[in-house]
Amino acid sequence: MTFPIERHRRLRRTAALRSMVRETILHPDEFIYPIFVTFGTNVKTEIASMPGVFQYSLDRLEEEIKDVIDAGIRSVLLFGIPEHKDAVGTSAFESEGIVQQATRAIKKMAPDMLVVADTCLCEFTDHGHCGLIHHDPVTGVADVDNDSSLEVLVRTAISQAEAGADIIAPSNMMDGFVAAIRAGLDEAGYSHIPIMSYSVKYASAFYGPFREAAQSAPQFGDRKTYQMDPANVREALREADSDVTEGADMLMVKPALAYMDVIKTLKDNFDLPVVAYNVSGEYSMVKAAAASGWIDERKIVMESLLGMKRAGADIIITYHAKDAARWLKEETK
């Protein structure tokens, strides 16, 4: 059929009609809100490059959790800024580590809140890399050693599960990390704990504000030897396929906005839930443009999140989660 018999505008005529035929719908249950926790007392420090996002000490954490619940968010992702750092990231797996303490506190405050623990070493090592450093005895060149890093990551995941984490989310991009963590969790009695794998994590410039927030910038070099080249998509399939084989329960693409094609590729090729991480740089660009009056923040945020969902994301990690959830509530009133 062609015009004038076919008129596409008929289904766009009123708000009710548009709502009735809407193909992609966002819901707060699909959002995960990242939280930064730190040691100290009475700490609520706004991150300069991420307006509206704060570092919280444990004694101030409850106010943030109450706000998250009030917004209608049911899941949080924890990042910790430790009291001490060393070469092997000891504080990542200590029973009284900052993520472990925060997890126990949140589960006490809100037992039904889903706590996702980021499992990486970059926040806990004094060199800022996601694994242990090996120096080549001949050249002296320093690089992240894959296999020895796995041992520490497994210890970290088990420690997080012991503290009450509902989901382990390893973000280190070491080869074999899902298999190692799955085996470690199972052996420790945590076979019921799912793994949300950072399967496709690019060496991206969009992480800049996060590194300020988590105090995790690498002290030398970069992360290009273990995070993915932004030019590659077939490699993303290989990474995700390995994680599926090794026992991942959810597959993540990070960042999101510049990688919508990758989100769709994973959705089309795997039957596990796909997670999109709407990262710090994406958040900060929107906040900066909105503060300058150049864009409508609400409309831009909701359109971006819809784009991620439309591309295939079943779950979205976003610093906009509280605002987006409240805006969705307003739309249903």
Side-chain angles (χ1 to χ4, degrees):
M1 292 187 295
T2 59
F3 178 84
I5 297 173
E6 186 174 65
R7 291 180 179 268
H8 300 293
R9 289 179 57 189
R10 290 188 188 118
L11 299 183
R12 304 171 192 158
R13 191 168 52 86
T14 68
L17 266 172
R18 292 191 297 273
S19 180
M20 179 183 291
V21 300
R22 186 162 295 140
E23 299 172 25
T24 306
I25 297 173
L26 291 168
H27 193 279
D29 283 353
E30 300 158 350
F31 298 153
I32 299 176
Y33 183 63
I35 296 178
F36 297 94
V37 289
T38 187
F39 280 99
T41 303
N42 196 31
V43 177
K44 182 182 178 182
T45 304
E46 188 170 27
I47 299 155
S49 56
M50 299 177 69
V53 178
F54 298 81
Q55 296 171 343
Y56 288 92
S57 55
L58 294 171
D59 60 318
R60 297 289 300 271
L61 185 56
E62 186 170 10
E63 64 187 79
E64 176 71 324
I65 295 302
K66 285 181 176 178
D67 196 42
V68 170
I69 293 170
D70 179 69
I73 303 297
R74 302 175 68 180
S75 307
V76 295
L77 172 61
L78 290 184
F79 296 100
I81 299 99
E83 201 167 25
H84 64 89
K85 301 187 180 191
D86 57 32
V88 297
T90 304
S91 54
F93 56 80
E94 291 175 337
S95 62
E96 294 303 314
I98 186 62
V99 170
Q100 288 79 357
Q101 289 193 54
T103 299
R104 289 192 293 268
I106 292 171
K107 298 306 286 187
K108 186 175 181 179
M109 299 170 197
D112 294 333
M113 177 67 68
L114 200 66
V115 176
V116 185
D118 179 78
T119 307
C120 196
L121 302 181
C122 60
E123 299 129 86
F124 305 96
T125 54
D126 53 16
H127 47 74
H129 279 282
C130 302
L132 308 188
I133 300 300
H134 170 73
H135 294 270
D136 188 287
V138 177
T139 65
V141 174
D143 196 10
V144 173
D145 184 70
N146 194 93
D147 295 6
S148 63
S149 300
L150 295 179
E151 299 173 16
V152 181
L153 291 164
V154 170
R155 292 185 67 181
T156 301
I158 293 171
S159 176
Q160 293 168 336
E162 288 174 345
D166 298 288
I167 297 173
I168 298 300
S171 61
N172 53 87
M173 289 297 286
M174 298 295 110
D175 290 335
F177 70 102
V178 172
I181 290 173
R182 182 72 275 158
L185 288 172
D186 290 357
E187 186 176 345
Y190 297 103
S191 60
H192 59 288
I193 298 295
I195 294 175
M196 177 189 287
S197 175
Y198 286 65
S199 299
V200 184
K201 182 178 179 180
Y202 287 91
S204 172
F206 284 101
Y207 304 149
F210 173 89
R211 291 175 182 174
E212 175 194 350
Q215 299 174 12
S216 63
Q219 299 304 298
F220 66 89
D222 53 40
R223 295 176 178 149
K224 292 181 179 179
T225 64
Y226 48 100
Q227 294 180 358
M228 279 183 53
D229 185 336
N232 295 353
V233 66
R234 293 195 304 272
E235 184 183 3
L237 280 172
R238 297 198 299 273
E239 286 278 3
D241 187 62
S242 292
D243 288 358
V244 171
T245 301
E246 292 176 16
D249 300 283
M250 292 169 264
L251 305 174
M252 189 189 303
V253 176
K254 180 183 180 182
L257 282 177
Y259 299 89
M260 296 284 201
D261 60 319
V262 184
I263 295 171
K264 185 178 190 305
T265 297
L266 261 63
K267 187 67 171 181
D268 289 346
N269 284 275
F270 302 100
D271 58 4
L272 294 180
V274 175
V275 185
Y277 196 147
N278 180 208
V279 299
S280 60
E282 297 166 353
Y283 172 88
S284 296
M285 290 191 302
V286 171
K287 298 298 283 189
S292 296
W294 299 336
I295 61 170
D296 183 314
E297 179 179 353
R298 176 171 176 166
K299 290 180 179 179
I300 289 287
V301 168
M302 299 309 286
E303 186 174 338
S304 297
L305 297 179
L306 269 173
M308 295 168 206
K309 180 80 180 286
R310 192 180 63 249
D314 302 289
I315 301 162
I316 301 173
I317 302 170
T318 177
Y319 301 94
H320 296 292
K322 292 191 296 182
D323 287 337
R326 289 189 170 106
W327 294 331
L328 287 170
K329 278 184 184 179
E330 291 175 8
E331 290 176 3
T332 58
K333 287 181 179 178

